[in-house]
Amino acid sequence: MATVGIVGAGAMGLAAAYHALKAGHRVTVYEADTVPGGMAAHTDLDGLSIERFYHFVCKADAATFALMRELGIGERMRWRDTSMGYFVDGKMYRWGDPLALLTFPKLSPMAKLRYGLQMFLSTKRSDWRPLENLAAKDWIERGAGREAYDVLWRRLFDLKFFEYADTVSAAWIWTRIKRIGTSRRSLMQEQLGYIDGGSETLVRALVEAIEARGGEIRLGTPVQEVVVTDGRVTGIRTAAGVDPVDAAISTMPTPYVSKLVPALPDDWKARYDGIVNIGVVCVLLRLSKSVSPHFWVNINDPAVEIPGIIEFSRLRPVEDTVVYVPFYMPQSHPKFGRDDAAFVAESMAAIRRLNPAVGEGDLKASLVGRLRHAQPVCEAGFAARVPPIRTPIAGLQVADTAFYYPEDRGISESVRYGAMMAAGVGG
């Protein structure tokens, strides 16, 4: 059995550790943060334990359900009827079902027909490969038409991907449409899930299972280098020194991999460095009033420079109203370096635009989370750009959320990849 070092204690790293320990390996997990969980970790919002970055569960997330059952927390899964809204040019519209589309006044009858048909067929499609070399913009315009793209999609892409908006992969956006579109109780009713107690319930269960099997999780311990000798992984270097290992699994964002593993061949470094990531500043608000009846609101309004808001308390019942306001942008964007107060102020201004009844006095607490590498930019043809998980260095596997392509980021894909990488130890 091998001694395995795992870089990163997010959901993928924890799942990899758990499955590697089950296989009989010796495991140490290294995490720079002071808490485990990565993007699924919780924070304290004025006494409320809640995810730093929003998460929800869809009915297609089989890997999450299987792991929860295995950890003895399967009964903590909860489902709730949810809805979506679309705020366009100063007015809120119900969205997400055929009747909402039929009554939506911002599209012509032909555009509605084409859009509805494309979305329906997307939920029936099972093969993403014919879409792989298409840009999402071109795919949507071919199917639903330019009118539907301009009203429903253009501003969302522009505000999330900026200069990359026109090149995002059709295969990637299709998987998002299908995942949400098939998470329904009926044609007219969306149904999404959450874990009772939040994502921390799963994170804690994984941590306890890892420690019960003799694994170690070292928090506040950034990895400085994956040490390689004669083409094979031999150690994990931290400020405390080098721990000898037979195998290593890196779950860090790919932009860090070249520096983490200096022994990688230059052509492999170039592949990791070539994966572009968009950053996010995610504002978390605790309010005394609801913003809308909807869990998710997409926004196409010239006065609001965010693509949408998530009223999380419409999914997970908590005290007060909890809203996430994500500002996606390249790290080079001038707004990225603004202070927290500026983002909170802009978030509240956007919320008042959506619902003027919400005033400054309704803000009870706020937190701002930042990630430099939050969303990989999956452009058309992205599958050919993702390196293999198994590197040319013996014993080293590397993956992050970009490797889920065409699937998007999510706990289910994280735990699936963690199990897969654990199975690859010693292979």
Side-chain angles (χ1 to χ4, degrees), residues 178-237:
K178 179 163 184 173
R179 181 172 178 251
I180 297 294
T182 55
S183 192
R184 308 187 72 85
R185 180 165 57 83
S186 69
L187 183 64
M188 297 297 293
Q189 184 56 63
E190 175 185 274
Q191 195 171 66
L192 299 177
Y194 67 94
I195 302 172
D196 184 25
S199 301
E200 189 170 349
T201 298
L202 177 57
V203 171
R204 284 180 176 175
L206 276 169
V207 168
E208 290 170 4
I210 289 165
E211 292 176 344
R213 287 167 172 77
E216 183 181 1
I217 302 172
R218 298 184 187 175
L219 301 175
T221 307
V223 171
Q224 298 175 345
E225 181 185 355
V226 174
V227 180
V228 177
T229 306
D230 297 328
R232 172 174 289 278
V233 168
T234 57
I236 300 291
R237 184 187 306 279

XYZ file of all heavy atoms in Angstrom, residues 178-237:
454
model
N -29.206 21.090 -19.054
C -29.790 19.771 -18.815
C -29.857 19.443 -17.328
O -30.858 18.892 -16.855
C -29.005 18.687 -19.554
C -29.583 17.292 -19.305
C -29.125 16.271 -20.286
C -29.824 14.946 -20.005
N -29.556 13.938 -21.031
N -28.792 19.770 -16.589
C -28.772 19.443 -15.159
C -29.928 20.120 -14.435
O -30.630 19.487 -13.639
C -27.433 19.877 -14.552
C -27.303 19.565 -13.069
C -25.899 19.832 -12.572
N -25.793 19.582 -11.150
C -25.651 20.511 -10.218
N -25.581 21.794 -10.566
N -25.580 20.199 -8.949
N -30.162 21.398 -14.707
C -31.266 22.109 -14.071
C -32.598 21.671 -14.667
O -33.581 21.453 -13.949
C -31.098 23.632 -14.230
C -29.827 24.114 -13.526
C -32.319 24.368 -13.671
C -29.848 23.960 -12.033
N -32.626 21.514 -15.986
C -33.877 21.182 -16.664
C -34.443 19.828 -16.295
O -35.661 19.615 -16.391
N -33.591 18.902 -15.887
C -34.074 17.572 -15.499
C -34.274 17.436 -13.992
O -34.666 16.372 -13.521
C -33.099 16.488 -15.987
O -31.779 16.768 -15.500
C -33.072 16.439 -17.507
N -34.011 18.496 -13.236
C -34.228 18.448 -11.786
C -35.596 19.053 -11.493
O -35.728 20.189 -11.026
C -33.126 19.211 -11.042
O -33.176 18.936 -9.655
N -36.637 18.280 -11.800
C -38.002 18.782 -11.706
C -38.904 17.721 -11.087
O -38.658 16.526 -11.196
C -38.543 19.168 -13.091
C -37.648 20.107 -13.880
C -38.301 20.584 -15.156
N -39.383 21.530 -14.877
C -39.209 22.828 -14.687
N -37.998 23.350 -14.728
N -40.231 23.618 -14.445
N -39.960 18.205 -10.472
C -41.016 17.317 -9.982
C -42.047 17.067 -11.068
O -42.695 16.028 -11.103
C -41.674 17.940 -8.740
C -42.787 17.114 -8.134
C -43.139 17.580 -6.727
N -43.511 18.978 -6.664
C -44.732 19.453 -6.939
N -45.688 18.644 -7.356
N -44.993 20.743 -6.827
N -42.196 18.044 -11.948
C -43.122 17.950 -13.074
C -42.682 18.960 -14.123
O -41.737 19.738 -13.909
C -44.552 18.243 -12.626
O -44.695 19.617 -12.268
N -43.370 18.969 -15.256
C -43.051 19.931 -16.301
C -43.152 21.360 -15.798
O -42.396 22.237 -16.225
C -44.005 19.728 -17.490
C -43.768 20.608 -18.724
C -42.411 20.296 -19.356
C -44.892 20.420 -19.737
N -44.053 21.588 -14.866
C -44.310 22.942 -14.381
C -43.559 23.285 -13.105
O -43.609 24.431 -12.665
C -45.816 23.129 -14.132
C -46.675 22.995 -15.377
S -46.314 24.252 -16.621
C -46.881 25.723 -15.750
N -42.878 22.307 -12.490
C -42.299 22.581 -11.175
C -40.855 22.107 -11.054
O -40.568 20.918 -11.071
C -43.131 21.916 -10.069
C -42.649 22.231 -8.663
C -42.593 23.720 -8.375
O -43.621 24.391 -8.391
N -41.399 24.258 -8.126
N -39.950 23.067 -10.923
C -38.548 22.780 -10.613
C -38.437 22.301 -9.177
O -39.166 22.745 -8.294
C -37.747 24.055 -10.822
C -36.290 23.996 -10.432
C -35.636 25.360 -10.561
O -35.182 25.690 -11.667
O -35.610 26.098 -9.544
N -37.482 21.395 -8.935
C -37.237 20.916 -7.572
C -35.736 20.724 -7.382
O -35.110 19.951 -8.091
C -37.981 19.600 -7.322
C -38.091 19.226 -5.854
C -39.026 18.048 -5.645
O -38.743 16.944 -6.076
N -40.149 18.282 -4.971
N -35.180 21.465 -6.442
C -33.756 21.387 -6.143
C -33.552 20.880 -4.722
O -34.482 20.869 -3.908
C -33.099 22.755 -6.314
C -33.170 23.367 -7.717
C -32.547 24.760 -7.721
C -32.498 22.473 -8.748
N -32.320 20.475 -4.435
C -32.043 19.879 -3.130
C -30.972 20.625 -2.359
O -30.191 21.402 -2.906
N -30.961 20.363 -1.052
C -29.904 20.853 -0.170
C -29.667 19.801 0.896
O -30.499 18.907 1.114
C -30.291 22.194 0.472
C -31.453 22.119 1.447
C -31.247 21.961 2.810
C -32.767 22.189 0.982
C -32.302 21.884 3.699
C -33.844 22.111 1.862
C -33.602 21.958 3.212
O -34.652 21.865 4.099
N -28.525 19.871 1.522
C -28.199 18.951 2.607
C -28.582 19.610 3.917
O -28.210 20.764 4.168
C -26.698 18.593 2.591
C -26.313 17.965 1.248
C -26.357 17.643 3.732
C -24.816 17.749 1.068
N -29.343 18.913 4.724
C -29.752 19.448 6.020
C -28.507 19.819 6.829
O -27.624 19.000 7.044
C -30.572 18.387 6.766
C -31.121 18.894 8.079
O -31.294 20.116 8.222
O -31.375 18.068 8.981
N -28.448 21.076 7.242
C -27.260 21.579 7.926
C -26.255 22.192 6.985
O -25.229 22.716 7.429
N -26.527 22.136 5.678
C -25.635 22.717 4.700
C -24.535 21.763 4.262
O -24.441 20.616 4.722
N -23.681 22.229 3.370
C -22.590 21.402 2.853
C -21.641 20.938 3.954
O -20.955 19.924 3.819
C -21.798 22.187 1.801
O -22.623 22.575 0.733
N -21.626 21.683 5.058
C -20.744 21.306 6.175
C -21.101 19.936 6.733
O -20.239 19.239 7.283
C -20.822 22.364 7.274
C -19.789 22.182 8.365
C -19.720 23.359 9.315
O -20.314 24.404 9.012
O -19.068 23.226 10.363
N -22.358 19.526 6.591
C -22.751 18.192 7.033
C -21.943 17.127 6.312
O -21.446 16.175 6.923
C -24.253 17.973 6.781
O -25.002 18.930 7.545
C -24.688 16.568 7.170
N -21.795 17.280 5.007
C -21.010 16.328 4.224
C -19.521 16.476 4.510
O -18.807 15.477 4.645
C -21.289 16.537 2.734
C -20.496 15.669 1.758
C -20.711 14.191 2.041
C -20.871 16.002 0.314
N -19.052 17.704 4.613
C -17.627 17.930 4.891
C -17.238 17.302 6.226
O -16.225 16.591 6.333
C -17.307 19.439 4.876
C -15.888 19.701 5.382
C -17.478 20.010 3.466
N -18.055 17.529 7.250
C -17.751 16.953 8.568
C -17.757 15.437 8.526
O -16.904 14.775 9.147
C -18.760 17.460 9.595
C -18.526 18.895 10.047
C -19.564 19.309 11.069
N -19.318 20.645 11.597
C -20.133 21.280 12.424
N -21.261 20.700 12.820
N -19.833 22.492 12.864
N -18.730 14.866 7.813
C -18.810 13.404 7.729
C -17.566 12.841 7.047
O -17.033 11.796 7.463
C -20.070 12.992 6.984
N -17.079 13.505 6.017
C -15.860 13.053 5.347
C -14.646 13.187 6.270
O -13.819 12.272 6.348
C -15.639 13.872 4.075
C -16.395 13.410 2.828
C -16.311 14.456 1.730
C -15.863 12.071 2.322
N -14.535 14.317 6.952
C -13.409 14.521 7.864
C -13.400 13.450 8.951
O -12.353 12.850 9.258
C -13.459 15.933 8.486
C -12.467 16.055 9.646
C -13.164 16.995 7.426
N -14.558 13.185 9.532
C -14.644 12.163 10.584
C -14.285 10.781 10.045
O -13.582 10.004 10.706
C -16.051 12.158 11.182
C -16.355 13.399 12.014
C -17.819 13.502 12.400
O -18.584 12.562 12.074
O -18.198 14.521 13.006
N -14.750 10.464 8.837
C -14.444 9.156 8.255
C -12.956 9.026 7.942
O -12.361 7.950 8.120
C -15.273 8.953 6.987
N -12.343 10.107 7.484
C -10.903 10.103 7.191
C -10.103 9.887 8.471
O -9.196 9.042 8.528
C -10.499 11.426 6.496
C -11.054 11.462 5.072
C -8.977 11.605 6.492
C -11.017 12.831 4.438
N -10.434 10.644 9.494
C -9.680 10.532 10.750
C -9.929 9.187 11.427
O -9.016 8.618 12.043
C -10.049 11.697 11.665
C -9.554 13.033 11.113
C -9.975 14.229 11.936
O -10.901 14.084 12.767
O -9.379 15.313 11.763
N -11.124 8.642 11.307
C -11.423 7.339 11.900
C -10.606 6.221 11.258
O -10.332 5.198 11.896
C -12.912 7.033 11.779
N -10.206 6.421 10.016
C -9.414 5.413 9.299
C -7.914 5.694 9.390
O -7.123 5.060 8.684
C -9.856 5.336 7.840
C -11.207 4.651 7.679
C -11.797 4.862 6.289
N -12.987 4.059 6.094
C -14.189 4.348 6.588
N -14.344 5.439 7.324
N -15.218 3.546 6.377
N -7.538 6.654 10.222
C -6.120 6.926 10.440
C -5.529 7.969 9.529
O -4.314 8.221 9.567
N -6.346 8.608 8.703
C -5.846 9.676 7.844
C -5.618 10.949 8.631
O -6.186 11.154 9.707
N -4.804 11.828 8.085
C -4.483 13.095 8.756
C -4.813 14.256 7.826
O -4.507 14.204 6.634
C -2.999 13.136 9.125
C -2.590 14.396 9.888
C -1.109 14.425 10.213
O -0.382 13.478 9.838
O -0.676 15.428 10.826
N -5.442 15.287 8.368
C -5.730 16.502 7.624
C -4.982 17.642 8.291
O -5.265 17.980 9.445
C -7.241 16.792 7.579
C -7.985 15.620 6.944
C -7.520 18.093 6.819
C -9.489 15.742 7.030
N -4.040 18.229 7.592
C -3.238 19.307 8.147
C -3.751 20.638 7.601
O -3.468 21.007 6.447
C -1.765 19.123 7.799
C -1.156 17.847 8.376
C 0.323 17.762 8.091
N 0.873 16.478 8.498
C 2.126 16.088 8.272
N 2.955 16.918 7.621
N 2.546 14.903 8.651
N -4.492 21.341 8.422
C -5.036 22.634 8.032
C -3.996 23.726 8.255
O -3.084 23.578 9.077
C -6.301 22.929 8.829
C -7.439 21.914 8.682
C -8.594 22.258 9.618
C -7.924 21.841 7.239
N -4.146 24.828 7.549
C -3.177 25.916 7.662
C -1.789 25.505 7.235
O -0.791 26.039 7.729
N -1.716 24.578 6.290
C -0.430 24.027 5.854
C -0.339 24.066 4.339
O -0.621 23.082 3.642
C -0.261 22.572 6.356
O -0.484 22.520 7.767
C 1.130 22.044 6.053
N 0.017 25.200 3.769
C 0.153 25.264 2.301
C 1.320 24.414 1.813
O 2.373 24.355 2.452
C 0.395 26.746 2.031
C 0.885 27.316 3.317
C 0.272 26.498 4.416
N 1.109 23.752 0.694
C 2.171 22.957 0.076
C 3.046 23.877 -0.757
O 2.555 24.663 -1.562
C 1.574 21.827 -0.787
C 2.663 21.133 -1.607
C 0.867 20.805 0.106
N 4.344 23.757 -0.565
C 5.295 24.567 -1.325
C 5.760 23.871 -2.594
O 6.057 24.534 -3.590
C 6.499 24.899 -0.436
C 6.151 25.725 0.784
C 7.337 25.935 1.705
O 8.361 25.245 1.595
N 7.228 26.872 2.635
N 5.814 22.544 -2.548
C 6.313 21.808 -3.717
C 5.937 20.331 -3.603
O 5.965 19.750 -2.519
C 7.838 21.929 -3.810
C 8.446 21.218 -5.009
C 9.968 21.250 -5.004
O 10.546 21.908 -4.100
O 10.576 20.608 -5.883
N 5.578 19.757 -4.738
C 5.534 18.301 -4.861
C 6.918 17.882 -5.345
O 7.344 18.228 -6.454
C 4.437 17.849 -5.844
C 4.517 16.335 -6.057
C 3.058 18.237 -5.329
N 7.628 17.166 -4.505
C 9.031 16.831 -4.771
C 9.099 15.610 -5.691
O 8.413 14.604 -5.480
C 9.785 16.557 -3.458
C 11.247 16.209 -3.745
C 9.701 17.776 -2.532
N 9.940 15.707 -6.708
C 10.089 14.643 -7.701
C 11.562 14.257 -7.795
O 12.442 15.119 -7.876
C 9.577 15.109 -9.081
C 9.804 14.028 -10.135
C 8.103 15.486 -8.999
N 11.820 12.957 -7.773
C 13.177 12.435 -7.906
C 13.182 11.356 -8.977
O 12.396 10.399 -8.902
C 13.684 11.850 -6.578
O 13.550 12.829 -5.537
C 15.139 11.420 -6.695
N 14.030 11.536 -9.988
C 14.152 10.553 -11.077
C 12.800 10.236 -11.708
O 12.469 9.075 -11.997
C 14.805 9.260 -10.565
C 16.236 9.480 -10.076
O 16.930 10.360 -10.645
O 16.651 8.787 -9.135
N 12.005 11.283 -11.904
C 10.741 11.111 -12.614
C 9.605 10.531 -11.797
O 8.552 10.194 -12.349
N 9.775 10.447 -10.486
C 8.742 9.879 -9.615
C 8.507 10.782 -8.419
O 9.444 11.379 -7.895
C 9.153 8.480 -9.145
C 8.256 7.870 -8.076
C 8.603 6.451 -7.755
N 8.240 5.571 -8.878
C 7.007 5.109 -9.088
N 6.019 5.446 -8.257
N 6.766 4.318 -10.104
N 7.253 10.877 -7.973
C 6.930 11.633 -6.765
C 7.599 10.982 -5.565
O 7.485 9.770 -5.358
C 5.396 11.676 -6.542
C 5.078 12.210 -5.150
C 4.725 12.538 -7.591
N 8.263 11.830 -4.767
C 8.918 11.287 -3.571
C 8.574 12.047 -2.295
O 8.867 11.558 -1.200
C 10.449 11.295 -3.736
O 10.882 12.638 -4.015
C 10.889 10.357 -4.841
N 7.972 13.246 -2.422
C 7.704 13.984 -1.192
C 6.762 15.154 -1.393
O 6.501 15.601 -2.513
N 6.266 15.648 -0.263
C 5.450 16.863 -0.208
C 6.185 17.857 0.685
O 6.426 17.576 1.863
C 4.047 16.590 0.365
C 3.284 15.579 -0.500
C 3.268 17.896 0.513
C 2.883 16.094 -1.862
N 6.550 19.015 0.120
C 7.296 20.004 0.874
C 6.346 21.076 1.430
O 5.532 21.658 0.699
C 8.349 20.691 0.010
C 9.239 21.675 0.784
C 10.162 22.465 -0.142
N 10.954 21.602 -0.987
C 12.081 20.995 -0.595
N 12.519 21.155 0.646
N 12.754 20.229 -1.452
